Amino acid sequence: MTPKGQGTAAQQVIRRLDALRPLSEAGVAALERLVAERIRHAAGNTDLISEGEPVDSVRMILSGWLCRHKTLADGRRQIVNFILPGETCDARIYLRGFADHTVTTLSPVIYAEVNRDDYEALLASDTSVAEALWCELLVDMAVQREWAVNLGRRDALERVAHLFCELVERLRPVGLAEANSCDFPVTQMELADATGLSAVHVNRTLQELRGSGLISLSGRTLTLSNPEALEHIAFFNRNYLHPDRRD
Amino acid sequence: MTPKGQGTAAQQVIRRLDALRPLSEAGVAALERLVAERIRHAAGNTDLISEGEPVDSVRMILSGWLCRHKTLADGRRQIVNFILPGETCDARIYLRGFADHTVTTLSPVIYAEVNRDDYEALLASDTSVAEALWCELLVDMAVQREWAVNLGRRDALERVAHLFCELVERLRPVGLAEANSCDFPVTQMELADATGLSAVHVNRTLQELRGSGLISLSGRTLTLSNPEALEHIAFFNRNYLHPDRRD
DNA sequence: CGTAATATTGATCATGTTCAACGTCGGTGG
DNA sequence: CCACCGACGTTGAACATGATCAATATTACG
């Protein structure tokens, strides 16, 4: 008996959704079918969605990293979230007339692009898929709230530490964070924009985290060398990422 | 011919949803019926939802202000959003096992408490209501993203100014911000927790905004004396609050 | 009228920014 | 193959925004 979705293009998406809320066999099959026919590739540093433009399809990320960001008129930029493999980019977003923010790839990305009609048909065809996708939305909202806490009330060290804890925890269910280590295609400039800090200060903060033996980050690989200590200094509580779990 | 929902308990909720996405006659009637039977009252400073506890009903706010907030282990608190009259508190939230944050009243509040089954029945009974509620969710997510920008990339003056612009804009469709003025049941301490600043600095920032003739805030009334200038210094762009509008 | 919560003020302090320079790495074209 | 180039990372010093602490109004309300 193979795990759900094993080996298919939609594997990451199915693993993630199934972890959020169990999918039916029919739901898994429907997702596999839908994804397989709509695969797209994008290079790094490409805008998939642009602020102010209409959006009429939903994207499911099969591999690669993206970020959501907004830029003020004077150039200050804030990354408001990352989008990781297995995640769905904006369920039913086409009910809005236009995008309120921009979505850009941080690395080459493979994704499935599902148009409005097919997405609605998917939601209507299988309750377990519809509920899992709604759960994903609820978790996404919880993540966004935690980012407000991070930006508003944690200092630089805690902020960066918390971000690392969160990202690794989000990569875990799709199998991309074995041994507390993961591919990390994010520059210090981008880390700065995600944490509301300057690039210079991010650099110094990373050195402090490295120096304390909490992480190692070089090239494109992030490792949490001492996850418990890191979570402790970050006041990290993974509950917000798991709709069904309580400590 | 009276406007939709005029004079009924659900008036604010209906005005807001209808502005987001037009409601059918049947949808309005269903909302009115549902709300009328489930009215609750809460005093100020009361927790309606507590972090870590299960949530099994959806609330629609008829009057009064609330906030969503999270507190770190050492007491630092961040208000991650306000909840205003006419807004729905967490569509389908019962798909999560427990709340990731706390919801507390800032003033006496009147709300309708809709249990899971009735809420699901409402969604199933009328497409226009289901879509309007989903639109509300999408706007809520856009608001949460904008808060990340506010906390991450705006300085104190811009931050407070932006918050004021947003709140007044959110109150406008329900008729609670005539003449750029509204009831404002928020202490400086709470403003500090919402903007990620200290209460002392919020006080000084308010004085600066007052001194520049941009706002007046005394007692429980906020007035935007010069909305254009305020929006300008805050880099405020109302698009994110309106799913169908582009400048 | 008294009390607690809220608002205000001044002074000192600290975290993180800015600026400017230099180092390093990977890729690309001669 | 190597030299160059641009992006990214690192360092130091000066600066600034906002935090903290502590004292003193002011207000709301029982």
Side-chain angles (χ1 to χ4, degrees), chain A residues 49-53 69-71 98-103, chain B residues 237:
Chain A
I49 295 174
S50 300
E51 178 171 353
E53 298 300 314
H69 56 104
K70 296 185 83 166
T71 302
F98 59 91
D100 66 296
H101 65 285
T102 301
V103 174
Chain B
N237 177 334

Side-chain angles (χ1 to χ4, degrees), chain B residues 91-103:
Chain B
R92 284 190 107 182
I93 186 66
Y94 40 75
L95 291 179
R96 277 193 80 114
F98 59 91
D100 66 296
H101 65 285
T102 301
V103 175

Side-chain angles (χ1 to χ4, degrees), chain B residues 98-117:
Chain B
F98 59 91
D100 66 296
H101 65 285
T102 301
V103 175
T104 303
T105 61
L106 296 172
S107 68
V109 162
I110 308 175
Y111 63 99
E113 183 163 15
V114 181
N115 67 41
R116 179 178 182 144
D117 291 345

Side-chain angles (χ1 to χ4, degrees), chain A residues 148-195:
Chain A
V149 177
N150 212 30
L151 292 163
R153 287 305 187 206
R154 275 187 267 255
D155 68 23
L157 194 71
E158 298 165 344
R159 237 182 259 188
V160 175
H162 191 278
L163 179 60
F164 288 165
C165 291
E166 176 184 306
L167 291 173
V168 168
E169 186 72 16
R170 283 165 65 177
L171 289 170
R172 228 185 285 280
V174 291
L176 293 175
E178 306 296 343
N180 294 304
S181 197
C182 67
D183 183 43
F184 196 76
V186 184
T187 65
Q188 292 185 4
M189 184 68 226
E190 287 155 352
L191 264 180
D193 283 341
T195 52

Side-chain angles (χ1 to χ4, degrees), chain B residues 18 37 39 48 69 224:
Chain B
D18 191 58
E37 292 166 9
I39 292 179
L48 288 199
H69 56 104
L224 311 190

Side-chain angles (χ1 to χ4, degrees), chain B residues 58-78:
Chain B
V58 169
R59 281 135 173 121
M60 296 178 177
I61 309 306
L62 308 181
S63 78
W65 288 40
L66 307 88
C67 70
R68 304 180 190 273
H69 56 104
K70 298 186 83 166
T71 302
L72 299 184
D74 67 352
R76 279 175 288 176
R77 186 174 84 126
Q78 179 68 39

Side-chain angles (χ1 to χ4, degrees), chain B residues 157 164 202-217 223 225-226 229-230 233:
Chain B
L157 194 72
F164 288 164
V202 164
N203 182 285
R204 291 178 173 133
T205 304
L206 290 175
Q207 290 178 44
E208 197 177 338
L209 288 170
R210 286 196 199 97
S212 313
L214 295 171
I215 65 158
S216 83
L217 172 59
T223 304
S225 319
N226 188 344
L230 195 70
I233 71 150

